[in-house]
Amino acid sequence: MNCCILEESSLLEKVINNHPSLQQLLEIFDDIHAESGDRFFLVGGFVRDILLGVNSYDIDIAVEGSIDRVIEYVNARIDSDYIYYERFQTATLTLEDLKVDLITCRKESYDHDGALPDIVPGTFEDDIWRRDFTINALAIEVSQKNTYLLCGPKQAREDLSNGQVRILHERSFYEDPTRIFRAIRYMCRLGFEMEIETKKSMIEAIENGAPNKVSSDRIFTEFCRDLSERAAFDILLAYREWNLDQYIAPGLDLPFKLKDDLVMLDKLELRFIEDTENFDPCELRLLAVFHHNYSKAQVFIEKFHLSKRFSNMLLSMEKLSDKIMRADSGIKNSQIYDHFLDIQDEVLLTLYVCTDVMLVKNIIERYYTKLKNVINPVRGSDLLKIGVQPGPKVRELLNEVMIAHLDGIIENREDALKYVEIRLE
Ligand code: ATP
Ligand code: MG
């Protein structure tokens, strides 16, 4: 293992200065190290991104020592929440402005290709060599305050500068084929190339069907992460180029419009739909992809055991888009209301983004701004009071009133009652 004084220590200092809670955490590490000799390393994506000058808020820290001790100290000294996974010897700390994953240094082995790894405690070096690519195997030792060392495989720093994705050992893609999908993600996200031997190894693993050995859940997880990338569309194209689409959804139609749709979903600010931040970003992106590929959706849903809820959303999106594509500008409010009432917000939102028909966008906006929250000006009990007999007639009249209200024929309760009285004559 090659370790050197971190020449870019000023970069790290800048990051630390921007995050007071990280500063506090490093002070705790300093104290623990002085007391017990435990060692602490920033690792993985956070280090990669610091060196690339990219902002990163997810911090991975490898601990060569006891995670319990870290939690004990953090609890006593910082305002934080944590979840401790004792069995895996990992913990997630939520500090003021940061999420920190702590992991006990480990050694991994694979019972068979594609299996989840067997884990035993290990040294920091073991923990580095179990990682996926050199660019993700860089670490900064932060055991002692103000002495930060950049460590990692010999090639790693150079690979990062040269934009190369390189595996750490020959069987890497076989042991964990999710790394094939991860490699593509980093290439597309960072604009990196694949190192030549790594490329050969990946082609061979794909040709030998290595991804078949991984559970569909794990492939789906990688796919969802890919869809949330800014470069999602390029990743989908790369799947096809690398013959990987067969493991996800073969023969997807990828019109250029989808690229814009995925970008739009990413920076969506629709003032008229509330709580969009509670939507599952993966679901929205899947809806966008399959809006262009309804005929491929069923196989995908079955393959990845997607929920009934998702499959219903897709079905209602298909039916609805067919209906509103045929609408003309004279469509009435009550018709829009009727079409949309039982449709999930996620579907309407995705349809709004994915359609390039202005009328459809206008209709969806009209629904949210003018119709969705309209309340019937009368209730069943009002109708009974003016002599409507209990039974199906009540619902029928309430519906009629609602339609007339939506279409501006009835304005208020008074109008509504008059309307019903006339209907009763
Ligand atoms: P991102 O910015 O996408 O989160 P990341 O590098 O932080 O990138 P994570 O998936 O969050 O990636 O994983 C954190 C680190 O764990 C990686 O940098 C890598 O060192 C290691 N890692 C994750 N998945 C694997 C894997 N399948 N095989 C080996 N190492 C992995
Ligand atoms: Mg990460």
Side-chain angles (χ1 to χ4, degrees), residues 9 99 111 113 143 158 172 194 216 241 268 271 306 382:
S9 61
K99 182 174 121 336
D111 181 52
D113 289 348
S143 309
E158 217 171 278
S172 188
M194 194 167 284
S216 61
E241 203 180 302
L268 196 72
R271 61 210 178 289
L306 300 194
D382 297 321

Side-chain angles (χ1 to χ4, degrees), residues 19-25 28 70-83 92-100:
H19 296 294
S21 47
L22 179 60
Q23 216 163 343
Q24 280 178 299
L25 196 61
I28 291 177
V70 178
I71 290 188
E72 193 186 304
Y73 272 64
V74 168
N75 252 341
R77 287 173 39 183
I78 312 187
D79 185 17
S80 67
D81 274 336
Y82 72 90
I83 309 173
T92 300
L93 297 174
T94 311
L95 308 178
E96 215 170 277
D97 51 348
L98 290 173
K99 182 174 121 336
V100 178

Side-chain angles (χ1 to χ4, degrees), residues 104-123:
T104 317
C105 289
R106 62 200 43 205
K107 205 175 188 163
E108 290 182 347
S109 59
Y110 294 84
D111 181 52
H112 57 267
D113 289 348
L116 282 170
D118 295 318
I119 296 167
V120 289
T123 61

Side-chain angles (χ1 to χ4, degrees), residues 45 58 60 225:
D58 285 351
D60 289 306
R225 287 183 70 175

Side-chain angles (χ1 to χ4, degrees), residues 374-379 382 401-402 405 410-414 416-417:
V374 168
I375 303 171
N376 198 322
V378 285
R379 289 194 280 185
D382 297 321
V401 170
M402 185 64 177
H405 184 46
I410 287 175
E411 288 221 349
N412 49 35
R413 185 179 143 83
E414 217 183 345
L417 292 173

Side-chain angles (χ1 to χ4, degrees), residues 337-378:
Y337 188 85
D338 185 47
H339 287 332
F340 289 4
L341 188 58
D342 295 324
I343 306 288
Q344 307 81 344
D345 287 333
E346 286 91 331
V347 168
L348 292 178
L349 170 89
T350 314
L351 211 53
Y352 181 90
V353 168
C354 293
T355 184
D356 43 14
V357 180
M358 254 343 261
L359 177 65
V360 172
K361 280 197 200 294
N362 290 341
I363 290 176
I364 296 176
E365 185 158 355
R366 187 153 123 209
Y367 174 69
Y368 278 102
T369 53
K370 301 219 169 85
L371 309 176
K372 187 171 190 243
N373 298 320
V374 168
I375 303 171
N376 198 322
V378 285

